[in-house]
Every structure is written in C-alpha cells, then in structure tokens.
C-alpha cells in the first residue's frame, strides 16, 4: 500500500473530528463546522449527527455540495511539526427514515464497540426522527487529497496528492 493510501486510512481510523464547509448561495459567506464523525467504506462516506436548526444542517438542505478537512498536528519536544491531513469534496444529505436504523446501528457500534458502554452512552433512536431535533447526516466523498510535506518541499507549490477513491474502498485489517 502506498504512503498516501496508508495516510488516508490512518486519518480515517484515528481522527474522529472533521471540518465541514457548507454554502448557502444566498448567504454572504461560507460556513465551517467541526463535527464528530464515523467513516463508512465502499463507497467512502462520513456519518455524523447534528441538530436540524444548526447553520450547516440548514445549508445542506439548500446546497448539498460540501468540502472538508481531516487533520492531525503534533509539535515535538524540539518544536518540529508533524502534520497529516486530507481534503475532500462531496455531497451531504440528511439520512432518510428508511435508512435510519442501519445508520444508527453502524454509528453507535463504531463509536462504542463495547456493548455495555454503547447501551449507556447511545441516545435512543427516537431522538433522530419524527419531531426530534437531531438527524443523522451522510457525506459521500467524491474526491480525496492528502497532504505530502515532502512533496511540497520538492514542488514548492501544492502539497496535496490526489488519492483514488477506489483505493479507499476497504480499510486494511489491523
């Protein structure tokens, strides 16, 4: 597996927050939100839940085209910076009721693998449909890039390297 694919899976497996950028064409600015997510594969998607009245949730109803980032940075004792990151574009949507049970089960199983902890920490499914304020959302990734610090120093222009979504269908078994 090449280093860009490995870096992609490392980010998706170990970082649980992403930045989501949305845009209402009638607004004067783009909006960015930091959200907790769980990755889903084949095809690559990010799953999260939010309240329906948040700006990003409202903007997704108007314009489902989004972009985002996942990144990790560590400053070492010698003040060096270790940086890993990805950028992506895609379409996001509210998960419809007929897909809710499957999404709910997947999200909370991956969030809390231990069944006893999952039972204590998971909100009931009723909190995500009907008159409830929260909804699950899914972002289907359409293009993915990772940061390459060595490539940036060599090219002096763009540190992003495109990774084929076909290479991100199945995460490696650990």
């Amino acid at each position: 597996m090449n280093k860009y694919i490995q870096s992609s899976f490392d980010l998706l497996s170990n970082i649980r927050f992403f930045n989501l950028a949305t845009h209402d064409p009638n607004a004067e600015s783009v909006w960015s939100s930091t959200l907790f997510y769980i990755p889903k594969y084949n095809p690559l998607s990010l799953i999260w839940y939010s309240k329906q009245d948040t700006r990003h949730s409202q903007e997704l109803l108007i314009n489902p085209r989004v972009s985002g980032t996942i990144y990790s940075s560590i400053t070492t004792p010698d003040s060096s910076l270790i940086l890993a990151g990805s950028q992506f574009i895609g379409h996001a949507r509210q998960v419809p009721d007929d897909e809710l049970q499957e999404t709910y089960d997947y999200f909370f199983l991956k969030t809390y693998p231990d069944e006893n902890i999952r039972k204590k920490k998971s909100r009931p499914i009723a909190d995500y449909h009907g008159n409830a304020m929260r909804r699950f959302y899914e972002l289907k990734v359409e293009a993915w890039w990772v940061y390459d610090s060595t490539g940036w120093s060599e090219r002096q222009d763009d540190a992003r390297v495109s990774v084929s979504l076909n290479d991100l269908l199945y995460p490696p078994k650990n």
Side-chain angles (χ1 to χ4, degrees):
M1 175 179 316
N2 80 35
K3 69 180 183 176
Y4 306 118
I5 297 168
Q6 184 62 53
S7 178
S8 298
F9 283 125
D10 289 346
L11 287 162
L12 289 162
S13 298
N14 298 310
I15 307 300
R16 282 290 162 253
F17 289 90
F18 79 106
N19 291 322
L20 174 71
T22 58
H23 181 247
D24 171 354
N26 299 314
E28 293 186 24
S29 66
V30 176
W31 188 251
S32 179
S33 302
T34 303
L35 302 164
F36 177 85
Y37 79 97
I38 295 296
K40 193 171 181 183
Y41 301 95
N42 197 15
L44 180 58
S45 304
L46 307 180
I47 308 292
W48 75 94
Y49 67 82
S50 290
K51 291 184 176 180
Q52 294 183 80
D53 62 355
T54 61
R55 181 169 169 178
H56 62 271
S57 295
Q58 291 295 307
E59 288 186 356
L60 290 176
L61 296 174
I62 297 164
N63 180 10
R65 297 230 13 103
V66 297
S67 66
T69 60
I70 300 171
Y71 65 92
S72 170
S73 64
I74 300 169
T75 304
T76 63
D78 70 353
S79 296
S80 298
L81 181 63
I82 300 171
L83 180 63
S86 66
Q87 291 178 259
F88 50 87
I89 57 173
H91 277 83
R93 68 182 180 122
Q94 191 177 95
V95 173
D97 284 346
D98 65 334
E99 297 172 28
L100 178 59
Q101 186 69 57
E102 179 184 346
T103 302
Y104 172 90
D105 292 344
Y106 181 84
F107 182 88
F108 285 113
L109 175 66
K110 297 296 183 180
T111 303
Y112 306 113
D114 180 280
E115 184 177 358
N116 293 322
I117 294 172
R118 188 169 53 252
K119 284 180 182 177
K120 290 178 188 174
K121 300 243 182 194
S122 299
R123 293 176 167 277
I125 196 168
D127 283 3
Y128 302 97
H129 65 84
N131 292 326
M133 180 56 72
R134 289 174 180 77
R135 290 293 185 272
F136 275 96
Y137 295 85
E138 175 185 44
L139 187 163
K140 291 192 185 247
V141 176
E142 295 173 350
W144 181 272
W145 298 266
V146 291
Y147 174 73
D148 178 18
S149 60
T150 58
W152 179 81
S153 61
E154 293 166 5
R155 292 189 301 269
Q156 295 293 321
D157 57 356
D158 193 351
R160 293 174 296 171
V161 174
S162 179
V163 175
S164 169
L165 294 178
N166 288 332
D167 292 328
L168 302 177
L169 292 176
Y170 303 100
K173 303 282 188 219
N174 291 357

